[in-house]
Amino acid sequence: MAVTIHEVARAARVSVSTVSRAFGSPEVVNAETRRRVLAAAERLRYRPNRAARGLITGRTGNIGVIVPDLENPFFHGVLKGVQSRAREADQWVFLADSGEDPTIEHELVMQLSKQVDGILLCSSRMRTAQLEQAAAERPLVFLNRKVPGSPSVLMDSAGGGRQIVAHLAGLGHRSFAYLSGPRTSWSNRERRRGLRTAAAREGLEIVELGPYVPRFEAGGEAADTALERGVTAIVAYNDLMALGVLARFAERGVGVPEDCSVSGFDDAPMSTMTTPSLTTVALPKAEAGRAAVDALLGLLDNGDGSERRNDLATRLVVRASTGAPRANRRARTPRKRARMTMSDPV
Amino acid sequence: MAVTIHEVARAARVSVSTVSRAFGSPEVVNAETRRRVLAAAERLRYRPNRAARGLITGRTGNIGVIVPDLENPFFHGVLKGVQSRAREADQWVFLADSGEDPTIEHELVMQLSKQVDGILLCSSRMRTAQLEQAAAERPLVFLNRKVPGSPSVLMDSAGGGRQIVAHLAGLGHRSFAYLSGPRTSWSNRERRRGLRTAAAREGLEIVELGPYVPRFEAGGEAADTALERGVTAIVAYNDLMALGVLARFAERGVGVPEDCSVSGFDDAPMSTMTTPSLTTVALPKAEAGRAAVDALLGLLDNGDGSERRNDLATRLVVRASTGAPRANRRARTPRKRARMTMSDPV
DNA sequence: GACCTGACTGAAAACCTTTGCAATCATCTC
DNA sequence: GAGATGATTGCAAAGGTTTTCAGTCAGGTC
């Protein structure tokens, strides 16, 4: 059923070697012969079997991508970039979802190794020592993770943090809360670092809360805590949490940004869809995906195993959720919740 | 570098055939021998080369998945389901994004064919005739698309539409607007069909607007148009559009659900994150993804090329964006926008 | 004791490519 | 005109696995 190189060879009245060369090293085969071969291939709709090719060349033409959670919006942009760059380079991508489980992640890496030329590990949940070992045995590139000796593409989260602080300071804020993400997260450490250095420089007070699991629901709780601490602005670890804050504030009647400014990190698609829309640090997700594929390809071609780091710039996107604080600050009482519920004491 | 079946054979002092059998047909090899082989394989960390295996068995153990747009939240849930079912069946998934372009989609199918056992086409943008032809040459399964002669998994969008109408009718609405999606979309036709039949039964008037490109921005425009038509409820083609409606209403000071109820289709993650949260028809995305993989596997194993259809139930999720209409309806004037802008006439 | 059976194992072919090596042939060089 | 050169092509091996076929050997049957 599937047409092979042999049938093309027969149709073009040449040997299989010539067919192979007509595709792989055109300069070495006679122009007229090549034309004949290509015509035959076209007519027969020949597509080389990449598995068979890989068997001998040692290159599969495939790359593996492992993400912790396919439903996390951050990875969609990354995947989009990976995908488009991979297509340009005529590579195919194997995708797998580790379900945030380091054990599964490791197992996936093992299983995938034989089938791909290299693997891109996004926001890996594995321990660094384990990653170093895994990277020693196969080409690995990391996204949003720093692993000694391995290429990685990182986003300048710290710079994003500094931009937020500058923005808040410019608006007249004197203090803000940071809703911390997972303690083991590299991104969280970086974001905190950026916020801290800028806060110190600008003379802002920073109230650290958390760590929280970086989800929408956690934003709600965190919002309550932050309000009690009397800050005029909240910076969340990511947009999901920031959206949670927004929702809770809307529910409690806390005005954003009049009563409290809110911002996040990611520039997730939904950040534009809320009212007010969310001020956030845009991460170059697609660009990072493309850069990661480039790094992987470089690693494969040049054997360039050096610890090439690729730091991508981030950019604060100011939307409607941040503004100047009210003049009378501290110990502000939020408006009462609009509707009463049956269980309210009379 | 990579350990092959030969090294395992040597280590276990057996032939490669025996090693192969120890894995593939355990019942035929002596228990003690098998133990030895497995131990050697374990020790050497042997993983079979699936490409080489595929060369001879004709099965690659891979399936291809093509989606129109990786950033469309609908596909994330689907992908998650595909992924998990594929892992269970020890299959790997090749992922590709057609960028909504039927030509690219077709090219992807062609290129991918040799590398996978079958392909899952999600919400294909190709013409039906083209799909039928493509399906004749390789195992194809469709998600959210009906193609004569091919297995497909569909979601009961029409049923979802009926549920919405029943819900609105129960709340006392007498009319609603439907913001139509792409005219060529199967889902759109189905949703409209469901809405229509239920509306006729319940005696509701239905105002059809559009078609719109089903994005957030389109929801904004559509919202304005719908308000002018004086409806008390809006049903959007999908959540993205519904969210656009919500945002525009918030901006214009139109109360949801007091002034107008809003609902969508998809139950996208962000539907819970807005205020008010969105009433919507939940589609069994992950379940559909799993079912699609099952259908594909069935097609491969049984050669079961019959037009097996898999219709999955949908379920209305009532949240805060729908409610009873005000008694005094028709020609309601929305509250003025809160803030004035510099360009406002004085 | 000759023969058969059944359980187990190994040799080798096959899958589809790429590529090193050798062969052919025409064209140059001196 | 002999030998060298260069362009073009084909043969065959190789890559890692599965599977067919044949072989070995122990135990049973008559």
Side-chain angles (χ1 to χ4, degrees):
Chain A
M1 169 153 190
V3 25
T4 78
I5 200 173
H6 286 92
E7 332 201 23
V8 178
R10 188 140 38 82
R13 303 171 176 285
V14 295
S15 72
V16 293
S17 331
T18 303
V19 177
S20 176
R21 279 187 283 250
F23 287 104
S25 8
E27 69 287 358
V28 88
V29 26
N30 179 285
E32 158 60 16
T33 313
R34 174 150 191 271
R35 205 196 46 69
R36 225 169 57 233
V37 170
L38 262 34
E42 171 76 15
R43 184 153 36 86
L44 269 47
R45 296 167 188 266
Y46 168 70
R47 307 262 170 175
N49 181 323
R50 298 180 67 150
R53 171 188 296 172
L55 211 48
I56 178 156
T57 62
R59 285 281 287 262
T60 62
N62 303 329
I63 63 183
V65 176
I66 300 178
V67 301
D69 177 13
L70 266 174
E71 283 183 315
N72 181 331
F74 171 75
F75 298 114
H76 304 148
V78 173
L79 266 183
K80 190 102 183 177
V82 165
Q83 198 60 237
S84 85
R85 185 71 191 89
R87 291 284 61 222
E88 287 170 17
D90 196 27
Q91 302 281 116
W92 284 93
V93 355
F94 271 118
L95 177 65
D97 175 328
S98 71
E100 305 270 0
D101 183 333
T103 312
I104 293 183
E105 192 182 329
H106 185 252
E107 183 55 24
L108 288 175
V109 170
M110 300 294 285
Q111 291 187 16
L112 206 45
S113 293
K114 274 277 184 58
Q115 308 186 59
V116 300
D117 299 330
I119 298 179
L120 168 60
L121 241 46
C122 299
S123 306
S124 174
R125 308 309 200 214
M126 286 167 61
R127 296 200 324 276
T128 301
Q130 224 177 352
L131 289 177
E132 288 187 75
Q133 193 198 331
E137 296 170 9
R138 63 188 67 71
L140 241 45
V141 164
F142 298 93
L143 191 141
N144 255 359
R145 182 74 185 250
K146 213 148 58 173
V147 177
S150 285
S152 55
V153 359
L154 305 168
M155 303 181 215
D156 182 19
S157 276
R162 290 193 297 269
Q163 292 177 60
I164 291 189
V165 174
H167 172 59
L168 292 178
L171 289 171
H173 292 270
R174 306 302 309 151
S175 73
F176 67 93
Y178 176 56
L179 312 186
S180 189
R183 196 172 290 146
T184 59
S185 156
W186 177 84
S187 298
N188 184 56
R189 284 200 304 277
E190 284 294 296
R191 287 166 198 184
R192 209 177 59 176
R193 188 168 66 80
L195 293 170
R196 277 184 173 175
T197 59
R201 189 172 50 216
E202 307 267 3
L204 292 204
E205 184 195 352
I206 163 168
V207 178
E208 276 190 46
L209 304 177
Y212 297 97
V213 328
R215 299 197 175 260
F216 179 77
E217 301 74 29
E221 312 166 30
D224 293 336
T225 314
L227 264 198
E228 283 170 16
R229 302 291 291 269
V231 295
T232 62
I234 293 178
V235 178
Y237 165 70
N238 67 5
D239 283 0
L240 236 38
M241 288 186 68
L243 259 22
V245 173
L246 248 34
R248 175 63 58 93
F249 279 179
E251 196 183 327
R252 292 185 53 178
V254 177
V256 175
E258 316 88 77
D259 295 326
C260 188
S261 290
V262 177
S263 65
F265 281 83
D266 269 7
D267 194 22
M270 43 204 165
S271 304
T272 61
M273 304 185 187
T274 51
T275 306
S277 55
L278 187 66
T279 293
T280 182
V281 173
L283 306 180
K285 300 180 274 290
E287 193 190 336
R290 297 181 65 86
V293 173
D294 277 332
L296 193 48
L297 260 28
L299 184 57
L300 296 175
D301 290 335
N302 319 331
D304 179 7
S306 72
E307 183 175 340
R308 221 174 34 158
R309 204 92 54 71
N310 200 341
D311 281 51
L312 301 176
T314 56
R315 187 176 48 85
L316 179 69
V317 179
V318 177
R319 297 207 182 91
S321 67
T322 47
R326 286 221 184 103
N328 57 332
R329 289 263 91 250
R330 297 282 141 150
R332 173 194 25 63
T333 51
R335 277 184 274 147
K336 258 296 176 48
R337 201 199 273 232
R339 282 172 282 176
M340 288 206 169
T341 66
M342 297 293 283
S343 61
D344 277 348
V346 189
Chain B
M1 172 154 188
V3 24
T4 77
I5 200 174
H6 285 93
E7 331 201 21
V8 178
R10 189 141 38 80
R13 302 173 176 286
V14 294
S15 72
V16 292
S17 330
T18 303
V19 177
S20 176
R21 280 189 282 250
F23 287 103
S25 10
E27 70 285 358
V28 88
V29 27
N30 178 285
E32 159 59 15
T33 312
R34 173 149 192 272
R35 206 197 44 70
R36 225 169 58 232
V37 170
L38 262 33
E42 172 75 15
R43 183 153 37 84
L44 269 47
R45 298 167 189 268
Y46 167 70
R47 308 261 170 176
N49 181 324
R50 298 181 65 149
R53 171 187 297 171
L55 213 47
I56 179 154
T57 61
R59 285 281 287 261
T60 62
N62 303 329
I63 63 183
V65 176
I66 299 179
V67 301
D69 177 12
L70 267 173
E71 283 183 315
N72 181 331
F74 171 75
F75 298 113
H76 305 147
V78 173
L79 267 181
K80 191 104 182 177
V82 165
Q83 198 58 237
S84 84
R85 185 69 190 90
R87 290 285 62 223
E88 288 171 16
D90 195 28
Q91 301 282 116
W92 284 93
V93 357
F94 269 118
L95 178 65
D97 174 328
S98 71
E100 306 270 0
D101 183 333
T103 312
I104 293 183
E105 192 183 330
H106 185 251
E107 183 55 23
L108 288 175
V109 170
M110 300 294 287
Q111 291 187 14
L112 206 44
S113 293
K114 273 278 186 54
Q115 309 186 57
V116 299
D117 299 330
I119 299 180
L120 168 60
L121 241 46
C122 300
S123 306
S124 173
R125 307 310 199 214
M126 287 166 61
R127 296 200 324 275
T128 301
Q130 223 177 353
L131 290 176
E132 288 187 75
Q133 193 197 333
E137 296 171 9
R138 61 187 70 68
L140 242 45
V141 165
F142 298 93
L143 191 141
N144 254 0
R145 181 76 185 250
K146 215 151 53 175
V147 176
S150 285
S152 55
V153 0
L154 305 168
M155 303 181 215
D156 182 19
S157 276
R162 290 193 297 268
Q163 292 178 59
I164 291 189
V165 173
H167 172 58
L168 292 178
L171 289 171
H173 292 269
R174 306 303 309 152
S175 72
F176 67 93
Y178 175 57
L179 312 185
S180 187
R183 194 172 292 146
T184 60
S185 156
W186 177 85
S187 297
N188 183 58
R189 285 199 305 275
E190 284 294 296
R191 286 166 199 184
R192 210 177 57 175
R193 188 168 66 82
L195 293 170
R196 278 183 171 175
T197 60
R201 188 170 52 217
E202 307 268 4
L204 292 204
E205 183 196 354
I206 161 167
V207 177
E208 276 190 43
L209 304 177
Y212 297 97
V213 328
R215 299 197 176 260
F216 179 76
E217 300 75 28
E221 312 166 31
D224 293 336
T225 315
L227 263 198
E228 283 171 15
R229 302 290 291 269
V231 295
T232 61
I234 294 179
V235 178
Y237 165 69
N238 68 5
D239 282 1
L240 235 38
M241 287 186 70
L243 259 21
V245 173
L246 247 35
R248 176 62 59 93
F249 279 178
E251 196 183 326
R252 291 184 53 177
V254 177
V256 174
E258 316 88 78
D259 295 327
C260 188
S261 289
V262 177
S263 64
F265 282 83
D266 269 7
D267 194 22
M270 42 204 165
S271 303
T272 61
M273 304 184 186
T274 51
T275 306
S277 55
L278 187 66
T279 293
T280 183
V281 173
L283 306 181
K285 301 181 272 290
E287 194 190 334
R290 297 181 65 86
V293 173
D294 277 332
L296 193 47
L297 259 29
L299 185 55
L300 296 175
D301 290 335
N302 319 333
D304 178 7
S306 72
E307 184 175 340
R308 219 173 36 158
R309 204 90 56 69
N310 201 340
D311 281 51
L312 302 176
T314 56
R315 187 176 48 85
L316 179 69
V317 179
V318 176
R319 298 208 181 92
S321 67
T322 47
R326 286 220 184 103
N328 57 332
R329 285 265 94 245
R330 297 280 143 151
R332 174 195 23 62
T333 52
R335 277 184 276 148
K336 258 298 177 43
R337 200 198 273 234
R339 281 172 281 175
M340 289 205 170
T341 66
M342 297 292 283
S343 62
D344 277 350
V346 190

